[in-house]
């Protein structure tokens, strides 16, 4: 039997599509306009004389340096979080002792502490470690504030692995390292991808730590680099939109790479 059309759901989906598509359309077409065309035409009009000048000018404003710095910060943050969170989650799941339960509770408390509340102590720690104005000064606090949610998701992911699999490998004589590499790593891949995407988005869009912990031009990341398009008398909106488009491409590539595991990883992470 043919199911009746769900008109309210279709209308709601269409409205949501317009809400999402119109800003994306505005950002993309504005990047192909000159500043005069942007001021003289309507915001949603097609550019009458499209140009690539906004994209080519980015390379003279330090955009490649900002892009590389953002890539390094994002990759370093993801690698550090996964390297610490997965073994910590494995220890919490396989050794449910009182000490580890307390440690897990401490990680949960980390979810309630905003970075803005502790930015002054972080600044003092970074300066005393002589790491100020370096990419490592951005990576370390970014990874620290991403660890709580990463451990929560990966702990729930590992709890979904049947205990019989651990017992079977232990009976076969597998060491803890072999169980971790041959069992935990493959089965935790959806959760790792989900955590990696979440942490990567946070590191890529991070603004507070780069603003406070760096100051030189060659250590800027993309969110700070976009400031180059605003001046005392106005903002180069077409150039800014072109930079936003190029800045979004790596994030889009990261999502397309891990989209198959994203939803399954989140479902596994919050399944229990």
């Amino acid at each position: 039997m043919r199911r009746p059309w769900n008109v309210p759901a279709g209308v709601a989906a269409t409205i949501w599509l317009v809400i999402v598509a119109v800003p994306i359309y505005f950002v993309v077409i504005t990047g192909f306009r000159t500043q005069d065309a942007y001021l003289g035409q309507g915001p949603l009009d097609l550019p009458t004389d499209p140009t690539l000048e906004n994209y080519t000018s980015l390379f003279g404003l330090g955009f490649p340096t900002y892009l590389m710095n953002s890539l390094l910060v994002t990759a370093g943050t993801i690698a550090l979080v996964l390297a610490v969170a997965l073994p910590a989650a494995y220890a919490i799941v396989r050794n449910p002792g009182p000490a580890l339960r307390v440690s897990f509770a401490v990680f949960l408390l980390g979810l309630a502490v905003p970075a803005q509340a502790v930015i002054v102590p972080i600044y003092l720690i970074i300066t005393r470690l002589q790491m100020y104005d370096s990419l490592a000064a951005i990576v370390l606090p970014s990874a620290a504030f991403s660890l709580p949610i990463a451990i929560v998701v990966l702990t729930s992911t590992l709890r979904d692995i049947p205990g019989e699999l651990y017992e079977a490998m232990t009976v076969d004589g597998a060491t803890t390292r072999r169980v971790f590499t041959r069992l935990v790593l493959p089965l935790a891949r959806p959760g790792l991808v989900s955590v990696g995407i979440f942490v990567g988005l946070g590191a890529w869009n991070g603004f507070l730590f780069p603003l406070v912990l760096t100051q030189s031009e060659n250590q800027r990341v993309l969110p700070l680099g976009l400031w180059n398009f605003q001046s005392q008398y106005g903002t180069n909106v077409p150039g800014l939109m072109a930079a936003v488009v190029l800045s979004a491409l790596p994030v889009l590539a990261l999502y397309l790479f891990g989209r198959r595991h994203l939803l399954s990883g989140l479902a596994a992470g919050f399944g229990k």
Side-chain angles (χ1 to χ4, degrees), residues 50-137:
T51 178
L52 294 176
E53 180 182 357
N54 296 315
Y55 289 93
T56 57
S57 63
L58 293 176
F59 295 93
L61 297 174
F63 185 85
T65 301
Y66 307 149
L67 178 62
M68 181 57 63
N69 289 341
S70 289
L71 290 174
L72 292 175
V73 168
T74 302
T77 303
I78 293 175
L80 186 57
V81 169
L82 295 183
V84 175
L86 186 59
Y90 177 69
I92 292 171
V93 171
R94 297 302 298 162
N95 301 282
L100 289 176
R101 285 200 299 268
V102 173
S103 301
F104 186 62
V106 172
F107 282 117
L108 291 178
L109 288 176
L111 296 173
V113 179
Q116 294 82 355
V118 293
I119 189 61
V120 174
I122 291 175
Y123 173 81
L124 295 176
I125 292 173
I126 292 298
T127 52
R128 290 181 180 180
L129 292 175
Q130 297 182 356
M131 298 175 61
Y132 181 76
D133 199 23
S134 65
L135 296 182

Side-chain angles (χ1 to χ4, degrees), residues 14-201:
T14 303
I15 295 174
W16 179 251
L17 178 62
V18 172
I19 293 175
V20 173
V22 169
I24 296 176
Y25 169 79
F26 170 78
V27 170
V28 173
I29 66 169
T30 303
F32 293 101
R33 291 175 174 171
T34 62
Q35 182 75 351
D36 294 337
Y38 168 75
L39 296 175
Q41 296 179 348
L44 300 181
D45 293 342
L46 290 174
T48 56
D49 189 14
T51 178
L52 294 176
E53 180 182 357
N54 296 315
Y55 289 93
T56 57
S57 63
L58 293 176
F59 295 93
L61 297 174
F63 185 85
T65 301
Y66 307 149
L67 178 62
M68 181 57 63
N69 289 341
S70 289
L71 290 174
L72 292 175
V73 168
T74 302
T77 303
I78 293 175
L80 186 57
V81 169
L82 295 183
V84 175
L86 186 59
Y90 177 69
I92 292 171
V93 171
R94 297 302 298 162
N95 301 282
L100 289 176
R101 285 200 299 268
V102 173
S103 301
F104 186 62
V106 172
F107 282 117
L108 291 178
L109 288 176
L111 296 173
V113 179
Q116 294 82 355
V118 293
I119 189 61
V120 174
I122 291 175
Y123 173 81
L124 295 176
I125 292 173
I126 292 298
T127 52
R128 290 181 180 180
L129 292 175
Q130 297 182 356
M131 298 175 61
Y132 181 76
D133 199 23
S134 65
L135 296 182
I138 305 174
V139 171
L140 292 180
S142 299
F145 278 89
S146 299
L147 272 176
I149 185 63
I151 291 177
V152 169
V153 173
L154 292 177
T155 298
S156 298
T157 300
L158 297 187
R159 283 175 179 166
D160 287 342
I161 300 177
E164 292 79 5
L165 296 179
Y166 294 109
E167 297 173 0
M169 293 197 68
T170 303
V171 170
D172 290 340
T175 61
T176 302
R177 178 179 298 179
R178 186 175 180 84
V179 172
F180 183 80
T181 56
R182 296 299 180 91
L183 176 64
V184 174
L185 277 178
L187 295 182
R189 185 172 59 181
L192 290 174
V193 173
S194 300
V195 170
I197 293 176
F198 179 80
V199 172
L201 290 176

Side-chain angles (χ1 to χ4, degrees), residues 194-247:
S194 300
V195 170
I197 293 176
F198 179 80
V199 172
L201 290 176
W204 185 266
N205 296 320
F207 184 81
L208 178 63
F209 293 139
L211 177 65
V212 176
L213 303 177
T214 61
Q215 65 176 2
S216 60
E217 185 78 15
N218 60 352
Q219 300 297 330
R220 283 186 176 181
V221 294
L222 281 174
L224 287 181
L226 296 180
W227 275 6
N228 285 346
F229 296 94
Q230 63 180 7
S231 63
Q232 181 180 0
Y233 303 103
T235 301
N236 182 7
V237 177
L240 179 61
M241 295 299 103
V244 169
V245 171
L246 293 183
S247 301

